[in-house]
Amino acid sequence: MIKKLLKLGVIPTGVGGPGESNRWLDTDIPTDASVNIDWFIDVARQAEAAKFDLVFIVDSQFITKDSPPHYLNRLEPLTLLSALAVTTKHIGLVGTLTTSYNDPFNIARRLASLDLISKGRAGWNVVTSGDTGTAGNYGREEHYDYETRYGRAEEYLDVVKGLWRSYEEDAFVRDRKSGVFLDESKLHALNHKGKYFSVTGPLNIQRSPQGEPVIFQAGDSDHGRNLGAKTADAIFTHSPTIEQAQAFYKDLKDRAVKFNRDPDEITIMPGFSIFVGDTDDHAREIEQFYRRQDQSFEQALGEFGRSFGWHDFRQYDLDAPFPVSALEYAKNSFYTASKRITDLAASKNFSLRETIEFFRGARRTPLAGTATTVANEIIRWFGGQALDGLNVQFGHPNQFKRFTQEVVPILQDRGVFREEYEDTTLRGNLGLRKPRFVKNAELCR
Ligand SMILES: Cc1cc2nc3c(=O)[nH]c(=O)nc-3n(C[C@H](O)[C@H](O)[C@H](O)COP(=O)(O)O)c2cc1C
């Protein structure tokens, strides 16, 4: 049996993602990093030199003045990844795209194009959008409720996969002698008519060297986990402790079995900030330094409303009990995350100030220490069925360098991470099977 190796991804958030309001002040990061393609190419090449599996681009389409700096001004994922596709050779290219505000035909086509441009390295992080305000950018009064969002997402994935199966592998004969360009018997229309979408097909693009782009999923509710367990090749999540990570891992893999899937077919990759220091204490000092510098309490208060549909918490008395009634604003937003916050605040009788301070403290990463400490901890989580891989938050350039140059070699020495890419495709490097070609008639009964 082939020993499964750890998977690594990098999440570049330029001038600062959530909790990093002042990251852009750092003189080692260009002030335009989030819209500077040279910066992204540099990050992707560093990750590729360290044999990372993938670059993971998060995204959203609604901003407020309290949004993190990277969110205020950033490149659209597939456009950005197309540029990375021609400036890198091996690394996988995963983009976040929402099923709530795109047509399946459009997404199927754009992702299939990226997959061909990159010669089989494209991936799609399927999200349903937690930012309720996105509705206003797409002609809707309100964001979809959970039922509709996840109902659409499931059907959406069926349609997109169906469209990717428009042509059989060898449909294009391209034989100038016989004059046959296409074997028409290998072209299949979709003719999908469902609850949310009606799509005739076929899609006007052939399959890629990895067959189809790799599907990631991020969404933590019961609906979200079922969607991931049923349809995804990989899962993006956040797990602050090994116990939480193990519980999530087991839950997802158990759900996969219920959907008649081999649990090894799903790669679980939580995201982490990582701090490497000369001693364990030094690493924690670096972490503390960045956390203090990255966001003031006032900035944290402004950003806190995001999971509650960008509800403005500045209107409440900071020292009064946490306003649990604000949960109603989260009902179509990041409800799972907001419910967790509200339940915890209520159970501990926290004020709003204490709640925000608690969650700022909870951002302390489990992965900080010397390179050996960090590597040991990653191996412990990996061996303890808490993860199959991890997405490293790029953070500070020096820190990413220390990770790639000090931690990765230890992981390689211990035999848990590759020394060379095994394959030319993202699917191959993740150890996933190339999907069997299925005729649309079979897929869309
Ligand atoms: C770890 C994680 C990452 C996510 N990343 C994104 C993202 O980049 N863009 C986005 O629009 N939504 C993102 N989402 C939002 C989800 O798609 C979903 O709309 C939201 O989490 C609410 O659903 P849930 O209660 O199932 O988690 C993310 C969710 C999770 C849990």
Side-chain angles (χ1 to χ4, degrees):
M1 203 179 101
I2 305 168
K3 196 174 135 201
K4 253 186 110 182
L5 294 178
L6 181 81
K7 310 298 169 202
L8 288 179
V10 59
I11 306 180
T13 45
V15 288
E20 299 170 352
S21 312
N22 304 324
R23 181 56 61 94
W24 66 275
L25 291 169
D26 197 308
T27 51
D28 288 331
I29 300 170
T31 46
D32 65 350
S34 299
V35 286
N36 180 340
I37 193 59
D38 295 333
W39 184 83
F40 283 98
I41 292 171
D42 182 46
V43 171
R45 284 182 172 160
Q46 285 181 51
E48 187 169 75
K51 315 294 175 203
F52 270 48
D53 292 82
L54 52 102
V55 180
F56 194 93
I57 305 295
V58 293
D59 193 47
S60 63
Q61 302 182 78
F62 175 74
I63 53 170
T64 74
K65 62 182 174 37
D66 294 313
S67 296
H70 175 68
Y71 289 27
L72 290 174
N73 184 21
R74 61 168 145 186
L75 297 172
E76 187 281 319
L78 290 192
T79 317
L80 157 59
L81 291 172
S82 296
L84 298 189
V86 293
T87 47
T88 58
K89 270 199 158 38
H90 304 283
I91 197 159
L93 307 165
V94 183
T96 297
L97 299 162
T98 178
T99 54
S100 294
Y101 298 103
N102 282 300
D103 267 356
F105 190 91
N106 199 9
I107 291 296
R109 186 176 186 212
R110 290 167 57 207
L111 276 161
S113 300
L114 177 68
D115 213 14
L116 280 184
I117 294 171
S118 64
K119 303 184 171 64
R121 293 186 282 137
W124 172 23
N125 179 34
V126 178
V127 296
T128 62
S129 290
D131 285 319
T132 48
T134 317
N137 292 334
Y138 286 87
R140 286 186 57 84
E141 294 275 308
E142 271 191 15
H143 191 27
Y144 299 105
D145 60 25
Y146 263 63
E147 231 20 82
T148 314
R149 248 153 81 190
Y150 279 108
R152 280 174 57 97
E154 194 174 337
E155 190 181 327
Y156 203 112
L157 270 155
D158 269 353
V159 173
V160 168
K161 288 183 181 183
L163 287 169
W164 286 337
R165 292 159 195 186
S166 294
Y167 288 113
E168 293 184 36
E169 302 285 350
D170 50 354
F172 287 94
V173 181
R174 297 186 176 103
D175 182 7
R176 286 190 175 130
K177 265 198 204 127
S178 62
V180 180
F181 182 64
L182 166 72
D183 177 348
E184 289 169 17
S185 69
K186 295 187 173 167
L187 167 62
H188 308 283
L190 181 63
N191 293 318
H192 173 88
K193 276 201 197 312
K195 184 167 172 194
Y196 300 103
F197 304 104
S198 174
V199 182
T200 315
L203 186 66
N204 53 348
I205 188 160
Q206 68 176 71
R207 289 168 74 73
S208 85
Q210 67 171 348
E212 297 162 15
V214 173
I215 304 290
F216 273 73
Q217 184 271 342
D220 204 13
S221 58
D222 206 40
H223 283 102
R225 290 182 185 207
N226 279 340
L227 177 70
K230 191 171 173 189
T231 59
D233 299 307
I235 307 287
F236 177 48
T237 179
H238 290 298
S239 296
T241 66
I242 188 168
E243 293 76 22
Q244 282 165 286
Q246 285 166 327
F248 180 86
Y249 188 98
K250 182 172 180 330
D251 181 67
L252 243 291
K253 303 256 171 171
D254 287 351
R255 286 176 198 246
V257 172
K258 284 194 197 122
F259 288 114
N260 289 322
R261 295 187 67 194
D262 173 355
D264 285 343
E265 278 175 24
I266 304 188
T267 302
I268 299 191
M269 295 182 69
F272 294 96
S273 292
I274 297 182
F275 293 94
V276 184
D278 300 336
T279 62
D280 289 351
D281 286 345
H282 180 224
R284 285 294 175 197
E285 278 164 28
I286 299 172
E287 177 179 28
Q288 255 198 351
F289 171 80
Y290 284 122
R291 298 272 188 242
R292 254 201 313 268
Q293 180 183 272
D294 274 347
Q295 198 171 53
S296 66
F297 181 84
E298 283 309 306
Q299 288 169 319
L301 176 63
E303 197 185 309
F304 184 77
R306 185 182 180 212
S307 7
F308 295 78
W310 282 110
H311 180 60
D312 191 352
F313 280 81
R314 280 175 283 231
Q315 64 193 280
Y316 301 108
D317 177 352
L318 279 171
D319 296 308
F322 183 82
V324 286
S325 59
L327 188 58
E328 93 181 71
Y329 299 100
K331 100 176 168 303
N332 292 335
S333 183
F334 293 86
Y335 186 78
T336 314
S338 336
K339 174 100 172 52
R340 218 171 270 149
I341 294 170
T342 310
D343 286 353
L344 187 115
S347 73
K348 294 197 180 283
N349 284 323
F350 276 165
S351 64
L352 174 56
R353 188 192 304 279
E354 286 167 329
T355 308
I356 291 174
E357 289 293 12
F358 179 88
F359 283 98
R360 290 179 87 199
R363 291 185 64 236
R364 200 178 131 101
T365 180
L367 300 180
T370 62
T372 309
T373 302
V374 170
N376 284 343
E377 198 56 7
I378 291 173
I379 293 168
R380 185 167 80 95
W381 287 49
F382 182 50
Q385 305 212 310
L387 47 78
D388 297 310
L390 57 143
N391 277 305
V392 179
Q393 203 74 46
F394 178 81
H396 192 277
N398 287 342
Q399 281 297 315
F400 190 61
K401 207 166 275 162
R402 290 198 76 161
F403 183 79
T404 54
Q405 295 182 357
E406 297 176 39
V407 180
V408 169
I410 301 175
L411 297 172
Q412 289 168 326
D413 280 351
R414 305 272 182 88
V416 294
F417 188 60
R418 71 166 65 82
E419 301 208 356
E420 278 310 324
Y421 285 103
E422 300 84 12
D423 200 76
T424 57
T425 68
L426 172 58
R427 204 172 272 286
N429 285 323
L430 288 178
L432 299 168
R433 265 194 320 241
K434 191 169 166 177
R436 186 174 66 89
F437 180 87
V438 189
K439 277 197 191 153
N440 286 332
E442 239 179 275
L443 190 81
C444 301
R445 288 170 289 271

PDB file of all heavy atoms in Angstrom, residues 131-153:
ATOM      1  N   ASP A 131     -21.467  36.197   3.361  1.00  0.00           N
ATOM      2  CA  ASP A 131     -21.741  37.645   3.407  1.00  0.00           C
ATOM      3  C   ASP A 131     -23.103  37.941   2.787  1.00  0.00           C
ATOM      4  O   ASP A 131     -23.255  37.938   1.556  1.00  0.00           O
ATOM      5  CB  ASP A 131     -20.646  38.409   2.649  1.00  0.00           C
ATOM      6  CG  ASP A 131     -19.351  38.486   3.429  1.00  0.00           C
ATOM      7  OD1 ASP A 131     -19.418  38.709   4.657  1.00  0.00           O
ATOM      8  OD2 ASP A 131     -18.282  38.318   2.821  1.00  0.00           O
ATOM      9  N   THR A 132     -24.076  38.232   3.642  1.00  0.00           N
ATOM     10  CA  THR A 132     -25.456  38.430   3.152  1.00  0.00           C
ATOM     11  C   THR A 132     -25.549  39.603   2.169  1.00  0.00           C
ATOM     12  O   THR A 132     -26.369  39.589   1.262  1.00  0.00           O
ATOM     13  CB  THR A 132     -26.401  38.695   4.341  1.00  0.00           C
ATOM     14  OG1 THR A 132     -25.804  39.678   5.181  1.00  0.00           O
ATOM     15  CG2 THR A 132     -26.643  37.446   5.155  1.00  0.00           C
ATOM     16  N   GLY A 133     -24.684  40.606   2.367  1.00  0.00           N
ATOM     17  CA  GLY A 133     -24.734  41.804   1.516  1.00  0.00           C
ATOM     18  C   GLY A 133     -24.425  41.517   0.055  1.00  0.00           C
ATOM     19  O   GLY A 133     -24.723  42.348  -0.817  1.00  0.00           O
ATOM     20  N   THR A 134     -23.855  40.350  -0.248  1.00  0.00           N
ATOM     21  CA  THR A 134     -23.533  40.012  -1.642  1.00  0.00           C
ATOM     22  C   THR A 134     -24.806  40.081  -2.497  1.00  0.00           C
ATOM     23  O   THR A 134     -24.747  40.415  -3.687  1.00  0.00           O
ATOM     24  CB  THR A 134     -22.923  38.585  -1.728  1.00  0.00           C
ATOM     25  OG1 THR A 134     -21.993  38.428  -0.655  1.00  0.00           O
ATOM     26  CG2 THR A 134     -22.216  38.368  -3.042  1.00  0.00           C
ATOM     27  N   ALA A 135     -25.949  39.782  -1.882  1.00  0.00           N
ATOM     28  CA  ALA A 135     -27.233  39.798  -2.597  1.00  0.00           C
ATOM     29  C   ALA A 135     -27.417  41.117  -3.354  1.00  0.00           C
ATOM     30  O   ALA A 135     -27.825  41.130  -4.520  1.00  0.00           O
ATOM     31  CB  ALA A 135     -28.375  39.575  -1.606  1.00  0.00           C
ATOM     32  N   GLY A 136     -27.082  42.220  -2.673  1.00  0.00           N
ATOM     33  CA  GLY A 136     -27.278  43.545  -3.271  1.00  0.00           C
ATOM     34  C   GLY A 136     -26.407  43.795  -4.490  1.00  0.00           C
ATOM     35  O   GLY A 136     -26.698  44.685  -5.301  1.00  0.00           O
ATOM     36  N   ASN A 137     -25.355  43.015  -4.647  1.00  0.00           N
ATOM     37  CA  ASN A 137     -24.488  43.177  -5.822  1.00  0.00           C
ATOM     38  C   ASN A 137     -24.957  42.336  -6.999  1.00  0.00           C
ATOM     39  O   ASN A 137     -24.395  42.382  -8.075  1.00  0.00           O
ATOM     40  CB  ASN A 137     -23.033  42.805  -5.471  1.00  0.00           C
ATOM     41  CG  ASN A 137     -22.441  43.804  -4.500  1.00  0.00           C
ATOM     42  OD1 ASN A 137     -22.871  44.952  -4.467  1.00  0.00           O
ATOM     43  ND2 ASN A 137     -21.481  43.373  -3.705  1.00  0.00           N
ATOM     44  N   TYR A 138     -25.975  41.526  -6.746  1.00  0.00           N
ATOM     45  CA  TYR A 138     -26.476  40.637  -7.800  1.00  0.00           C
ATOM     46  C   TYR A 138     -27.990  40.756  -7.972  1.00  0.00           C
ATOM     47  O   TYR A 138     -28.669  39.785  -8.292  1.00  0.00           O
ATOM     48  CB  TYR A 138     -26.075  39.181  -7.494  1.00  0.00           C
ATOM     49  CG  TYR A 138     -24.602  38.948  -7.756  1.00  0.00           C
ATOM     50  CD1 TYR A 138     -23.655  39.198  -6.774  1.00  0.00           C
ATOM     51  CD2 TYR A 138     -24.159  38.522  -9.011  1.00  0.00           C
ATOM     52  CE1 TYR A 138     -22.306  39.008  -7.016  1.00  0.00           C
ATOM     53  CE2 TYR A 138     -22.809  38.339  -9.264  1.00  0.00           C
ATOM     54  CZ  TYR A 138     -21.890  38.574  -8.270  1.00  0.00           C
ATOM     55  OH  TYR A 138     -20.542  38.397  -8.516  1.00  0.00           O
ATOM     56  N   GLY A 139     -28.502  41.958  -7.707  1.00  0.00           N
ATOM     57  CA  GLY A 139     -29.909  42.231  -7.985  1.00  0.00           C
ATOM     58  C   GLY A 139     -30.903  41.515  -7.094  1.00  0.00           C
ATOM     59  O   GLY A 139     -32.060  41.341  -7.464  1.00  0.00           O
ATOM     60  N   ARG A 140     -30.460  41.079  -5.922  1.00  0.00           N
ATOM     61  CA  ARG A 140     -31.406  40.430  -5.014  1.00  0.00           C
ATOM     62  C   ARG A 140     -31.608  41.283  -3.768  1.00  0.00           C
ATOM     63  O   ARG A 140     -30.698  41.945  -3.301  1.00  0.00           O
ATOM     64  CB  ARG A 140     -30.874  39.052  -4.583  1.00  0.00           C
ATOM     65  CG  ARG A 140     -30.953  37.984  -5.657  1.00  0.00           C
ATOM     66  CD  ARG A 140     -30.535  36.625  -5.098  1.00  0.00           C
ATOM     67  NE  ARG A 140     -31.357  36.235  -3.945  1.00  0.00           N
ATOM     68  CZ  ARG A 140     -32.537  35.644  -4.028  1.00  0.00           C
ATOM     69  NH1 ARG A 140     -33.026  35.341  -5.209  1.00  0.00           N
ATOM     70  NH2 ARG A 140     -33.210  35.340  -2.949  1.00  0.00           N
ATOM     71  N   GLU A 141     -32.836  41.237  -3.233  1.00  0.00           N
ATOM     72  CA  GLU A 141     -33.143  41.987  -2.007  1.00  0.00           C
ATOM     73  C   GLU A 141     -32.474  41.338  -0.802  1.00  0.00           C
ATOM     74  O   GLU A 141     -32.044  41.999   0.116  1.00  0.00           O
ATOM     75  CB  GLU A 141     -34.662  41.980  -1.757  1.00  0.00           C
ATOM     76  CG  GLU A 141     -35.477  42.722  -2.805  1.00  0.00           C
ATOM     77  CD  GLU A 141     -35.540  44.204  -2.498  1.00  0.00           C
ATOM     78  OE1 GLU A 141     -35.897  44.549  -1.364  1.00  0.00           O
ATOM     79  OE2 GLU A 141     -35.208  44.996  -3.404  1.00  0.00           O
ATOM     80  N   GLU A 142     -32.453  40.003  -0.828  1.00  0.00           N
ATOM     81  CA  GLU A 142     -31.958  39.248   0.334  1.00  0.00           C
ATOM     82  C   GLU A 142     -31.070  38.112  -0.110  1.00  0.00           C
ATOM     83  O   GLU A 142     -31.264  37.550  -1.191  1.00  0.00           O
ATOM     84  CB  GLU A 142     -33.155  38.594   1.061  1.00  0.00           C
ATOM     85  CG  GLU A 142     -33.748  39.473   2.101  1.00  0.00           C
ATOM     86  CD  GLU A 142     -34.736  38.714   2.969  1.00  0.00           C
ATOM     87  OE1 GLU A 142     -34.756  37.472   2.950  1.00  0.00           O
ATOM     88  OE2 GLU A 142     -35.498  39.404   3.660  1.00  0.00           O
ATOM     89  N   HIS A 143     -30.145  37.728   0.779  1.00  0.00           N
ATOM     90  CA  HIS A 143     -29.324  36.541   0.514  1.00  0.00           C
ATOM     91  C   HIS A 143     -30.223  35.306   0.652  1.00  0.00           C
ATOM     92  O   HIS A 143     -31.218  35.334   1.369  1.00  0.00           O
ATOM     93  CB  HIS A 143     -28.213  36.497   1.577  1.00  0.00           C
ATOM     94  CG  HIS A 143     -27.123  35.499   1.308  1.00  0.00           C
ATOM     95  ND1 HIS A 143     -26.768  35.077   0.045  1.00  0.00           N
ATOM     96  CD2 HIS A 143     -26.294  34.836   2.157  1.00  0.00           C
ATOM     97  CE1 HIS A 143     -25.775  34.211   0.133  1.00  0.00           C
ATOM     98  NE2 HIS A 143     -25.465  34.044   1.412  1.00  0.00           N
ATOM     99  N   TYR A 144     -29.853  34.228  -0.040  1.00  0.00           N
ATOM    100  CA  TYR A 144     -30.631  32.988   0.067  1.00  0.00           C
ATOM    101  C   TYR A 144     -30.558  32.430   1.491  1.00  0.00           C
ATOM    102  O   TYR A 144     -29.534  32.563   2.159  1.00  0.00           O
ATOM    103  CB  TYR A 144     -30.055  31.927  -0.863  1.00  0.00           C
ATOM    104  CG  TYR A 144     -30.073  32.298  -2.328  1.00  0.00           C
ATOM    105  CD1 TYR A 144     -28.911  32.682  -2.980  1.00  0.00           C
ATOM    106  CD2 TYR A 144     -31.253  32.246  -3.059  1.00  0.00           C
ATOM    107  CE1 TYR A 144     -28.920  33.007  -4.331  1.00  0.00           C
ATOM    108  CE2 TYR A 144     -31.267  32.572  -4.416  1.00  0.00           C
ATOM    109  CZ  TYR A 144     -30.095  32.951  -5.032  1.00  0.00           C
ATOM    110  OH  TYR A 144     -30.105  33.273  -6.361  1.00  0.00           O
ATOM    111  N   ASP A 145     -31.623  31.762   1.917  1.00  0.00           N
ATOM    112  CA  ASP A 145     -31.557  31.101   3.227  1.00  0.00           C
ATOM    113  C   ASP A 145     -30.737  29.804   3.080  1.00  0.00           C
ATOM    114  O   ASP A 145     -30.386  29.406   1.968  1.00  0.00           O
ATOM    115  CB  ASP A 145     -32.957  30.831   3.790  1.00  0.00           C
ATOM    116  CG  ASP A 145     -33.787  29.936   2.878  1.00  0.00           C
ATOM    117  OD1 ASP A 145     -33.203  29.165   2.097  1.00  0.00           O
ATOM    118  OD2 ASP A 145     -35.027  30.014   2.945  1.00  0.00           O
ATOM    119  N   TYR A 146     -30.442  29.170   4.215  1.00  0.00           N
ATOM    120  CA  TYR A 146     -29.558  27.998   4.207  1.00  0.00           C
ATOM    121  C   TYR A 146     -30.065  26.884   3.302  1.00  0.00           C
ATOM    122  O   TYR A 146     -29.324  26.290   2.532  1.00  0.00           O
ATOM    123  CB  TYR A 146     -29.381  27.468   5.636  1.00  0.00           C
ATOM    124  CG  TYR A 146     -28.114  27.957   6.287  1.00  0.00           C
ATOM    125  CD1 TYR A 146     -27.909  29.309   6.522  1.00  0.00           C
ATOM    126  CD2 TYR A 146     -27.121  27.077   6.665  1.00  0.00           C
ATOM    127  CE1 TYR A 146     -26.742  29.758   7.128  1.00  0.00           C
ATOM    128  CE2 TYR A 146     -25.953  27.519   7.268  1.00  0.00           C
ATOM    129  CZ  TYR A 146     -25.771  28.858   7.500  1.00  0.00           C
ATOM    130  OH  TYR A 146     -24.617  29.301   8.090  1.00  0.00           O
ATOM    131  N   GLU A 147     -31.370  26.586   3.444  1.00  0.00           N
ATOM    132  CA  GLU A 147     -31.991  25.507   2.667  1.00  0.00           C
ATOM    133  C   GLU A 147     -31.709  25.739   1.176  1.00  0.00           C
ATOM    134  O   GLU A 147     -31.267  24.855   0.456  1.00  0.00           O
ATOM    135  CB  GLU A 147     -33.496  25.620   2.901  1.00  0.00           C
ATOM    136  CG  GLU A 147     -34.351  24.431   3.337  1.00  0.00           C
ATOM    137  CD  GLU A 147     -33.691  23.245   3.965  1.00  0.00           C
ATOM    138  OE1 GLU A 147     -33.394  23.241   5.171  1.00  0.00           O
ATOM    139  OE2 GLU A 147     -33.502  22.289   3.209  1.00  0.00           O
ATOM    140  N   THR A 148     -31.989  26.967   0.734  1.00  0.00           N
ATOM    141  CA  THR A 148     -31.846  27.287  -0.692  1.00  0.00           C
ATOM    142  C   THR A 148     -30.369  27.290  -1.086  1.00  0.00           C
ATOM    143  O   THR A 148     -29.994  26.766  -2.143  1.00  0.00           O
ATOM    144  CB  THR A 148     -32.462  28.676  -0.980  1.00  0.00           C
ATOM    145  OG1 THR A 148     -33.731  28.730  -0.345  1.00  0.00           O
ATOM    146  CG2 THR A 148     -32.587  28.935  -2.459  1.00  0.00           C
ATOM    147  N   ARG A 149     -29.541  27.909  -0.232  1.00  0.00           N
ATOM    148  CA  ARG A 149     -28.116  28.006  -0.557  1.00  0.00           C
ATOM    149  C   ARG A 149     -27.499  26.632  -0.771  1.00  0.00           C
ATOM    150  O   ARG A 149     -26.826  26.381  -1.760  1.00  0.00           O
ATOM    151  CB  ARG A 149     -27.390  28.671   0.614  1.00  0.00           C
ATOM    152  CG  ARG A 149     -26.878  30.025   0.279  1.00  0.00           C
ATOM    153  CD  ARG A 149     -26.786  30.849   1.513  1.00  0.00           C
ATOM    154  NE  ARG A 149     -25.601  30.587   2.293  1.00  0.00           N
ATOM    155  CZ  ARG A 149     -25.441  31.074   3.524  1.00  0.00           C
ATOM    156  NH1 ARG A 149     -26.405  31.797   4.076  1.00  0.00           N
ATOM    157  NH2 ARG A 149     -24.349  30.843   4.194  1.00  0.00           N
ATOM    158  N   TYR A 150     -27.752  25.732   0.185  1.00  0.00           N
ATOM    159  CA  TYR A 150     -27.134  24.410   0.070  1.00  0.00           C
ATOM    160  C   TYR A 150     -27.865  23.523  -0.950  1.00  0.00           C
ATOM    161  O   TYR A 150     -27.248  22.663  -1.578  1.00  0.00           O
ATOM    162  CB  TYR A 150     -26.988  23.752   1.445  1.00  0.00           C
ATOM    163  CG  TYR A 150     -25.754  24.292   2.159  1.00  0.00           C
ATOM    164  CD1 TYR A 150     -25.858  25.152   3.249  1.00  0.00           C
ATOM    165  CD2 TYR A 150     -24.482  23.973   1.705  1.00  0.00           C
ATOM    166  CE1 TYR A 150     -24.721  25.659   3.878  1.00  0.00           C
ATOM    167  CE2 TYR A 150     -23.341  24.481   2.320  1.00  0.00           C
ATOM    168  CZ  TYR A 150     -23.463  25.312   3.408  1.00  0.00           C
ATOM    169  OH  TYR A 150     -22.325  25.812   4.003  1.00  0.00           O
ATOM    170  N   GLY A 151     -29.165  23.756  -1.129  1.00  0.00           N
ATOM    171  CA  GLY A 151     -29.906  23.034  -2.183  1.00  0.00           C
ATOM    172  C   GLY A 151     -29.341  23.401  -3.544  1.00  0.00           C
ATOM    173  O   GLY A 151     -29.073  22.529  -4.391  1.00  0.00           O
ATOM    174  N   ARG A 152     -29.126  24.701  -3.753  1.00  0.00           N
ATOM    175  CA  ARG A 152     -28.527  25.163  -5.010  1.00  0.00           C
ATOM    176  C   ARG A 152     -27.122  24.581  -5.175  1.00  0.00           C
ATOM    177  O   ARG A 152     -26.758  24.127  -6.257  1.00  0.00           O
ATOM    178  CB  ARG A 152     -28.388  26.695  -4.995  1.00  0.00           C
ATOM    179  CG  ARG A 152     -29.647  27.478  -5.304  1.00  0.00           C
ATOM    180  CD  ARG A 152     -29.354  28.967  -5.100  1.00  0.00           C
ATOM    181  NE  ARG A 152     -28.236  29.417  -5.937  1.00  0.00           N
ATOM    182  CZ  ARG A 152     -28.362  30.010  -7.101  1.00  0.00           C
ATOM    183  NH1 ARG A 152     -29.572  30.253  -7.593  1.00  0.00           N
ATOM    184  NH2 ARG A 152     -27.307  30.378  -7.793  1.00  0.00           N
ATOM    185  N   ALA A 153     -26.350  24.619  -4.083  1.00  0.00           N
ATOM    186  CA  ALA A 153     -24.952  24.169  -4.181  1.00  0.00           C
ATOM    187  C   ALA A 153     -24.873  22.715  -4.633  1.00  0.00           C
ATOM    188  O   ALA A 153     -24.055  22.350  -5.484  1.00  0.00           O
ATOM    189  CB  ALA A 153     -24.249  24.353  -2.843  1.00  0.00           C
TER     190      ALA A 153
END
